[in-house]
Amino acid sequence: MRAPREIAHRLFAEEFNSSTVELEPEGEFSPGHVLTPLGLCVNRVLVVGVITDVENISTSGDPLWRARLSDPTETYYISAGKYSPEAAGALARITPPAFAAVVGKVRVYRPEEGVVYLSLKAETVVPSTAALRDYWVLEACRSLKKRIELAEEAMGLEKPTVEALVSLGASRSQAEGLILALKRYGPPDLERFRAMLESCLRYVLPEMNGRAGEEEEAFAIPGEKEGPGEMASEEAEEPGDDEVPGYSKEEEAKVIKIVESLQTGTKGAPWEKIVERAKKEGLSKETVDQIVMDLMESGVLYEPSIGRIRKT
């Protein structure tokens, strides 16, 4: 009898990439898991972010596509080949940078003792939007907040046990995961994870991500557990041809030039610096918000990390 399909967790890349403990399958059909430092047992992940790079690392006749997908914290490494042809085909059609929703199974590679590389083997890849990425960030924040609070409760106990955490309101799987994480990793760095949570919550504020005035679009998405298929349907709403931007082509070109002048290496230009420079050149913050948002939607600009904008 096959095990039930695993939940696709909303999990930030930074916590995922911090994981070094692999839990072996307990039975013939039991899937393996990765245990995060905050006690989340992960077999599958749903992530929405920006695909910044795609390449075929095999042959044209037997392609194996590899991609990098950035969320507000770090980067997921994703692959898809002949065993997941639909996901592979979707990756092949993507031109970075582009928003995408990916459901993938965790893969662990240990090239040598003490070295662990994690990636996702994509099951589904669909185009997405900035608004859906923001919604995913909020969902991932809710999940992260629960793990932080449970870890705080556990570390306040003299001898934390599964039963003690269950009596505090945790589910048994949450309690078992955290107790195992405390044994394998030791006490988690809660300050680091609190800072990550705070940074990600700030990230979805319109005034921080350049989408001021788009609150309704960003958060009016029904269904807490909708999958990437439903997410894709939201993308069908495109601006009408008769919509005219509230800025000129000259102002748009000016913002692009500012971003190019402030970005360095692979890093994007700091958002605050973009606004500061634009104000000196006669552009209001609201105008810059709108221009950057539109250019990100069209793929001219993208956001490689929190608060930074880069030209494609």
Side-chain angles (χ1 to χ4, degrees), residues 16-17 66-69 75-79 118-121:
F16 178 72
N17 292 332
R66 181 169 294 172
R68 290 187 295 180
L69 184 149
T75 299
Y76 276 101
Y77 292 87
I78 295 164
S79 64
L118 299 179
S119 63
L120 297 179
K121 181 181 178 183

Side-chain angles (χ1 to χ4, degrees), residues 179-194:
I179 293 300
L180 184 57
L182 292 174
K183 291 179 180 176
R184 302 292 293 271
Y185 290 103
D189 183 354
L190 291 182
E191 285 302 317
R192 170 193 171 195
F193 289 110
R194 288 192 198 101

Side-chain angles (χ1 to χ4, degrees), residues 195-212:
M196 185 170 77
L197 176 61
E198 182 180 343
S199 178
C200 290
L201 287 172
R202 282 203 309 269
Y203 180 84
V204 295
L205 294 174
E207 60 269 31
M208 293 296 295
N209 61 22
R211 290 185 290 281

Side-chain angles (χ1 to χ4, degrees), residues 243-249 251 283-284 286-288 290-291 294:
E243 290 186 12
V244 179
Y247 51 83
S248 67
K249 283 292 183 185
E251 290 173 323
L283 297 178
S284 68
E286 290 71 24
T287 300
V288 179
Q290 186 62 51
I291 293 173
D294 290 347

Side-chain angles (χ1 to χ4, degrees), residues 64-275:
L64 175 60
W65 292 92
R66 181 169 294 172
R68 290 187 295 180
L69 184 149
S70 295
D71 74 8
T73 62
E74 286 186 2
T75 299
Y76 276 101
Y77 292 87
I78 295 164
S79 64
K82 61 183 178 182
Y83 297 112
S84 49
E86 292 185 1
L91 283 180
R93 292 189 293 273
I94 286 177
T95 301
F99 291 106
V102 176
V103 175
K105 297 191 74 170
V106 175
R107 286 291 178 268
V108 181
Y109 175 54
R110 295 179 180 274
E112 58 185 88
E113 184 66 27
V115 178
V116 178
Y117 294 113
L118 299 179
S119 63
L120 297 179
K121 181 181 178 183
E123 299 174 324
T124 306
V125 179
V126 296
S128 190
T129 65
L132 288 170
R133 188 272 309 275
D134 288 353
Y135 179 71
W136 177 87
V137 170
L138 279 180
E139 290 294 291
C141 282
R142 289 192 184 100
S143 177
L144 173 60
K145 181 173 179 288
K146 290 178 181 176
R147 291 194 294 282
I148 291 173
E149 291 175 343
L150 185 60
E152 289 172 337
E153 296 266 24
M155 293 171 70
L157 299 174
E158 183 176 352
K159 291 183 179 179
T161 63
V162 170
E163 296 304 328
L165 294 180
V166 169
S167 69
L168 291 172
S171 69
R172 180 158 293 275
S173 62
Q174 290 171 333
E176 290 176 345
L178 180 56
I179 293 300
L180 184 57
L182 292 174
K183 291 179 180 176
R184 302 292 293 271
Y185 290 103
D189 183 354
L190 291 182
E191 285 302 317
R192 170 193 171 195
F193 289 110
R194 288 192 198 101
M196 185 170 77
L197 176 61
E198 182 180 343
S199 178
C200 290
L201 287 172
R202 282 203 309 269
Y203 180 84
V204 295
L205 294 174
E207 60 269 31
M208 293 296 295
N209 61 22
R211 290 185 290 281
E214 297 295 328
E215 292 89 343
E216 291 186 2
E217 179 192 357
F219 302 113
I221 299 168
E224 183 176 352
K225 297 184 182 301
E226 64 186 4
E230 289 81 0
M231 289 179 175
S233 65
E234 297 290 335
E235 194 190 26
E237 294 186 8
E238 295 290 345
D241 293 338
D242 56 345
E243 290 186 12
V244 179
Y247 51 83
S248 67
K249 283 292 183 185
E250 290 74 17
E251 290 173 323
E252 180 182 280
K254 192 177 291 185
V255 170
I256 294 174
K257 189 174 180 180
I258 290 171
V259 171
E260 288 179 318
S261 69
L262 293 173
Q263 66 188 24
T264 56
T266 58
K267 294 182 178 180
W271 170 249
E272 296 80 4
K273 296 289 185 185
I274 296 172
V275 174

